[in-house]
Amino acid sequence: MNTLVMKMGQGRTNSLMTELADYQIAINNPYVSFAAKYQETTVLVYTSGKIVFQGKRALKVAQRFGYQGDEALASETKSSNQGKIAQEKLSLIGSDEVGNGSYFGGLAVVASLVRPSDQALLRDLGVADSKVLNDRKIQQLAPILEEKIPHKALLLSPAKYNEVVGPGKAHNAVSVKVALHNQAIYLLLQEVPKPDKIVIDAFTSQNNYKKYLKGERNQFANPLTFEEKAEGKYLAVAVSSIIARNLFLENLKKLGEDLGYQLPSGAGAKSDKVASQLLAAYGMEGLRHCAKLHFANTKKAQKLLNH
């Protein structure tokens, strides 16, 4: 689906709402002041003044209102390389998270059970660590894995994340991941036979994990194995990394659509710039809806806005 963006006041957009009044549709988004469906294209006018055209004929409709460009915005993809994962003869639960290092978007944690009988299918599909697969491949694989592989997926939205993570709150950036990994594995264990092994892609030391685990209500007796870069060693962790990545990407896209901005993943200078634009358009409430506020990007964005 093509996506094009204009600002109110560009071209003939000042008359857009009048011209498309007969095509207006209802939409449950507090950041959208007007929405219409016209010629297979959804037109969204945001309170920030941004206008988004989405659909097969987005370019044609946008050009009607003076759009001068000739291409839709393309999403970034990473180069795809097939990772090599050793054959595993055990029934194994693997857990991984995605979104921890990204300013925008939620935190997705997935636990998956892979049995020896699943491995031929996974290798035929080209399952590998999500970090070496481009987003298109992730989006192709995830629905198949979700259907074929027993798993539990949890998503902590930015809004909820900001409620529970930060100075003086219930969690820090590590303890919240402990809580999510523990809960995902606990829920999966309620539905599947006892695995031979449970592996977590190590994001902290085992002692630190155990320290934070003491505060969790749902616990289980199965021992855990912590390994760095486990998503490149175990198919179960690789499956979880793919499902989690897809969940994160879907959430990132949805949050961007809520606000009318293309939200980047990661926490670099591009995130600072977009965050400053969101601050200008919606204030801190806009950021609270889509970003992890305790990241340094928040202060950087405020500094950019003030200058």
Side-chain angles (χ1 to χ4, degrees):
M1 180 172 65
N2 293 331
T3 300
L4 296 164
V5 180
M6 295 180 69
K7 276 284 190 180
M8 184 62 76
Q10 292 180 342
R12 298 193 306 104
T13 54
N14 285 331
S15 64
L16 181 145
M17 288 184 282
T18 301
E19 293 188 38
L20 297 182
D22 291 341
Y23 304 93
Q24 187 171 2
I25 58 174
I27 187 166
N28 185 25
N29 185 333
Y31 302 104
V32 174
S33 59
F34 176 85
K37 188 76 172 182
Y38 177 71
Q39 292 189 1
E40 299 181 274
T41 300
T42 299
V43 182
L44 303 172
V45 179
Y46 288 82
T47 56
S48 64
K50 178 175 289 188
I51 303 171
V52 175
F53 301 83
Q54 293 178 326
K56 294 180 180 178
R57 307 183 72 181
L59 178 58
K60 182 175 180 179
V61 175
Q63 286 175 333
R64 169 177 173 172
F65 293 97
Y67 182 73
Q68 297 297 314
D70 58 359
E71 292 181 352
L73 297 178
S75 60
E76 295 181 355
T77 59
K78 297 178 180 178
S79 60
S80 175
N81 295 293
Q82 176 64 46
K84 294 182 179 179
I85 300 177
Q87 188 76 18
E88 181 62 60
K89 297 180 180 180
L90 305 176
S91 173
L92 191 146
I93 285 179
S95 186
D96 200 7
E97 85 279 340
V98 173
N100 176 64
S102 179
Y103 179 58
F104 292 113
L107 179 58
V109 174
V110 176
S112 304
L113 172 69
V114 169
R115 299 144 294 196
S117 58
D118 297 318
Q119 294 190 27
L121 169 66
L122 297 179
R123 293 181 186 282
D124 287 345
L125 289 172
V127 168
D129 170 14
S130 67
K131 296 183 182 66
V132 301
L133 299 174
N134 63 39
D135 289 347
R136 179 173 294 182
K137 184 68 172 178
I138 293 288
Q139 291 161 346
Q140 291 172 345
L141 286 175
I144 301 172
L145 299 178
E146 289 167 1
E147 178 185 350
K148 301 291 186 182
I149 303 298
H151 69 283
K152 285 295 176 181
L154 302 176
L155 176 71
L156 188 64
S157 69
K160 185 63 178 178
Y161 184 98
N162 292 323
E163 287 181 17
V164 300
V165 178
K169 297 181 181 178
H171 290 284
N172 59 39
V174 175
S175 70
V176 74
K177 288 195 288 184
V178 171
L180 290 169
H181 277 275
N182 178 73
Q183 183 69 358
I185 296 169
Y186 174 83
L187 291 173
L188 184 57
L189 285 170
Q190 309 310 302
E191 300 180 1
V192 299
K194 182 179 178 181
D196 297 309
K197 189 175 182 179
I198 300 177
V199 177
I200 293 179
D201 185 46
F203 56 88
T204 189
S205 69
Q206 192 159 355
N207 287 336
N208 211 27
Y209 189 98
K210 289 179 178 179
K211 178 184 75 173
Y212 289 125
L213 190 61
K214 292 177 181 178
E216 294 305 306
R217 181 178 61 185
N218 295 330
Q219 298 197 24
F220 48 86
N222 308 62
L224 300 174
T225 298
F226 294 80
E227 289 196 36
E228 293 184 359
K229 300 182 179 179
E231 67 275 19
K233 303 174 185 177
Y234 300 94
L235 280 169
V237 183
V239 167
S240 291
S241 75
I242 290 169
I243 297 175
R245 176 69 179 171
N246 189 58
L247 186 58
F248 168 78
L249 290 173
E250 288 179 342
N251 178 244
L252 191 69
K253 180 181 178 182
K254 171 64 169 58
L255 294 169
E257 289 174 347
D258 286 346
L259 298 165
Y261 282 78
Q262 189 173 23
L263 303 179
S265 61
K270 190 173 181 179
S271 294
D272 299 340
K273 182 178 180 180
V274 173
S276 69
Q277 294 169 346
L278 287 167
L279 277 174
Y282 302 116
M284 191 58 72
E285 278 304 310
L287 280 186
R288 188 173 286 109
H289 179 71
C290 66
K292 303 175 184 73
L293 293 182
H294 72 88
F295 276 41
N297 301 80
T298 301
K299 290 184 177 179
K300 292 178 181 177
Q302 291 171 326
K303 188 175 180 180
L304 281 174
L305 181 63
N306 292 334
H307 286 75

